[in-house]
Amino acid sequence: MYKQSEIIRVLLVEDDPGETELIRDMLSGPGEVTFDLECVDRLSKGLECLAAGGIDVVLLDLGLPYSQGLDTFTMVYARAPEVPIVVLTGLYDVTLAIKAVREGAQDYLVKSQVESKLLVRSLHYAIERKRAEEIIRKSEAMYRSLYETTLALAKQTDLDTVIRTISDRATAFLEANDCAVYLLDQKRKVLVPIFSNASQGREEIMANEISLGEGLSGRVAKMGAGAYINAGDETNYAVHIPGIDEVEDKNESVICVPVFDGSKVIGVITIGKLGARFDKREVKKLTIFARQAEIALKRAQNLQALRESEEKSRTLVEMLEEGIGTVDEKENFVFINQAAADIFGYSKEELLGKNLGGSTTPEKFKQVLGQTSIGKSGQASQYELAITRKDGEARIISVTSTPIMGDNGKYRGAFGIFHDITERKRTEEELRKRLAQLEIYYQSTLGREKRIIALKREVNELLGELGREEKYGV
């Protein structure tokens, strides 16, 4: 548990000189460790010692001048909650001492019952219990931070926001000073700085790419394993900026872990902290954090790629002269391009959410619903529909409807292509009327021709009766 050469600094806050000497004697005997006892007789002096630091454990009398009872413990605990406290009490103050233990004291000792072995064992156990509590507290804080990070990242879909959140959360996670996030350009084999929250040197960090194997970040990306450099350590590779042979800031320790997509490294997270030293535990903690970051980063990248693809598709759709739109299962518009909006005579904003039935008569809308029934069976259809534009003008459109089916095979709506065929229908109607008129004319002309032929035949017959030659060759 303890090395023979280890020294434990004990702060004794006790106003009774006799009790002080007795405790000094108990702790000065031979043992596994050496106790360095610092004695004060006032609470104010004890608080000053705690503020100066270096105290491993406190022996605290609850009955001090100008400070009595549980308030004495509360003030000491508030000043240094990380330091274990053993309460000293009289025989008749045990209830008060138990309350102090419930409030955070590690143990209590009745002065009249204290002897050397009991005191030493109590101090040892107090320190070890406090260490165990601190480990548990840090572990709980780590998992709480991971949980909160997961929630924070889950709310974000924008890639830039996700990267900024990763950087800020990673900095807070290790109580560090700054963080830089790099993504790996797979083709060029370089780490590209994406974001840094460093208060100093940010421009230099963001301006420099790092080759694989170069610097701490480059080595981590190449090896696929986390690493760290502590301030003052001798090293032959750079941390932040390529070409530097040691940590740029002599007082800053740096830790870096890879970010994966499956088994492939896609980037690194690099953390800097002033006045601290990292070890393998921090590498493990940041690696766990990076696993959460990987999920959010990949999701944001996929969503951004999808948005970019949708934007390209949307741009192409907007460039088409054909009317393009999609409706949900109730025939409400959920997307429409400008050409389709022009056909219906509304703005795109007015049509979104508008039901197709609002542009036609109830009777004609029954026709649309009949086509929807066809779509629900998974079949495409084509039909004509009479609509009324916003300005009251009647138009006729052709609709080519392709059903949109969900993964479960359920009908979710339809993709439609719209053409305004009003002019074509008018032209067809004009041609139909012209053909009808020509048919009447033809029939009337044909009747006249028949009458003329009949007359010619009658003339020929009369000429024959007169013994004369026929005049008409019919």
Side-chain angles (χ1 to χ4, degrees), residues 43-64:
L43 178 60
S44 58
K45 295 179 180 179
L47 295 177
E48 290 176 2
C49 289
L50 286 172
I55 300 299
D56 296 312
V57 62
V58 176
L59 277 170
L60 178 64
D61 181 13
L62 295 183
L64 296 170

Side-chain angles (χ1 to χ4, degrees), residues 139-436:
S139 178
E140 289 177 346
M142 181 185 74
Y143 286 109
R144 188 184 309 111
S145 178
L146 285 173
Y147 174 71
E148 292 172 352
T149 297
T150 301
L151 291 180
L153 290 172
K155 296 177 182 178
Q156 309 298 336
T157 58
D158 176 69
L159 182 59
D160 291 339
T161 305
V162 166
I163 292 174
R164 182 183 295 272
T165 302
I166 289 172
S167 179
D168 292 342
R169 288 280 177 171
T171 303
F173 188 61
L174 292 186
E175 299 177 345
N177 299 97
D178 53 69
C179 174
V181 179
Y182 296 83
L183 292 182
L184 179 61
D185 186 322
Q186 302 288 348
K187 292 183 178 180
R188 297 190 296 126
K189 303 298 181 184
V190 295
L191 288 170
V192 180
I194 301 300
F195 181 78
S196 172
N197 60 9
S199 57
Q200 295 181 348
R202 181 180 181 278
E203 293 76 11
E204 192 172 7
I205 294 172
M206 296 300 295
N208 284 272
E209 296 179 343
I210 301 176
S211 299
L212 281 182
E214 186 175 12
L216 177 62
S217 300
R219 287 172 65 94
V220 166
K222 186 175 183 178
M223 295 185 300
Y228 61 91
I229 301 174
N230 284 319
D233 287 354
E234 294 295 328
T235 174
N236 60 357
Y237 55 94
V239 176
H240 289 309
I241 311 302
I244 301 174
D245 293 329
E246 56 186 332
V247 178
E248 184 169 311
D249 191 325
K250 300 289 187 179
N251 297 315
E252 184 176 45
S253 297
V254 181
I255 186 171
C256 180
V257 297
V259 178
F260 289 90
D261 176 12
S263 60
K264 181 174 66 177
V265 175
I266 60 172
V268 298
I269 300 173
T270 303
I271 298 284
K273 187 174 182 179
L274 294 171
R277 295 185 65 80
F278 292 123
D279 57 28
K280 292 181 179 180
R281 290 173 297 180
E282 275 75 25
V283 172
K284 184 177 181 179
K285 287 172 62 177
L286 191 56
T287 300
I288 294 173
F289 175 91
R291 295 290 183 266
Q292 302 297 318
E294 291 160 14
I295 298 171
L297 188 61
K298 188 61 181 175
R299 181 169 62 92
Q301 287 177 322
N302 289 337
L303 287 172
Q304 178 167 296
L306 179 60
R307 281 193 292 266
E308 290 175 353
S309 177
E310 288 178 343
E311 187 61 31
K312 290 179 181 177
S313 299
R314 193 177 297 269
T315 300
L316 290 174
V317 167
E318 290 294 348
M319 293 172 63
L320 294 174
E321 294 182 359
E322 295 178 308
I324 303 293
T326 56
V327 294
D328 61 19
E329 66 276 10
K330 295 181 180 180
E331 299 298 332
N332 297 313
F333 283 108
V334 293
F335 169 75
I336 195 161
N337 71 348
Q338 188 59 52
D342 293 340
I343 290 173
F344 284 90
Y346 290 85
S347 68
K348 291 168 59 177
E349 292 72 21
E350 289 173 324
L351 278 176
L352 289 177
K354 180 180 175 63
N355 191 272
L356 183 57
S359 295
T360 189
T361 64
E363 189 64 30
K364 293 293 184 182
F365 189 58
K366 289 181 181 179
Q367 175 190 357
V368 175
L369 296 179
Q371 299 297 323
T372 301
S373 298
I374 296 174
K376 287 182 178 179
S377 67
Q379 299 180 43
S381 63
Q382 187 171 7
Y383 59 96
E384 295 178 0
L385 180 66
I387 65 169
T388 302
R389 290 161 51 93
K390 183 180 180 180
D391 58 8
E393 182 183 2
R395 308 293 288 182
I396 301 174
I397 64 173
S398 71
V399 181
T400 301
S401 178
T402 303
I404 300 172
M405 313 301 287
D407 295 336
N408 58 358
K410 186 177 179 181
Y411 179 78
R412 295 179 56 189
F415 172 81
I417 301 176
F418 309 103
H419 290 97
D420 188 337
I421 59 173
T422 305
E423 296 306 322
R424 191 186 81 188
K425 298 297 287 186
R426 287 175 180 170
T427 301
E428 289 175 353
E429 181 64 19
E430 290 295 328
L431 289 173
R432 188 187 65 78
K433 290 179 179 179
R434 290 281 303 278
L435 285 172

Side-chain angles (χ1 to χ4, degrees), residues 19-30:
E19 294 289 350
T20 299
E21 287 304 315
L22 184 61
I23 290 174
R24 189 187 299 277
D25 290 341
M26 291 180 185
L27 297 179
S28 61

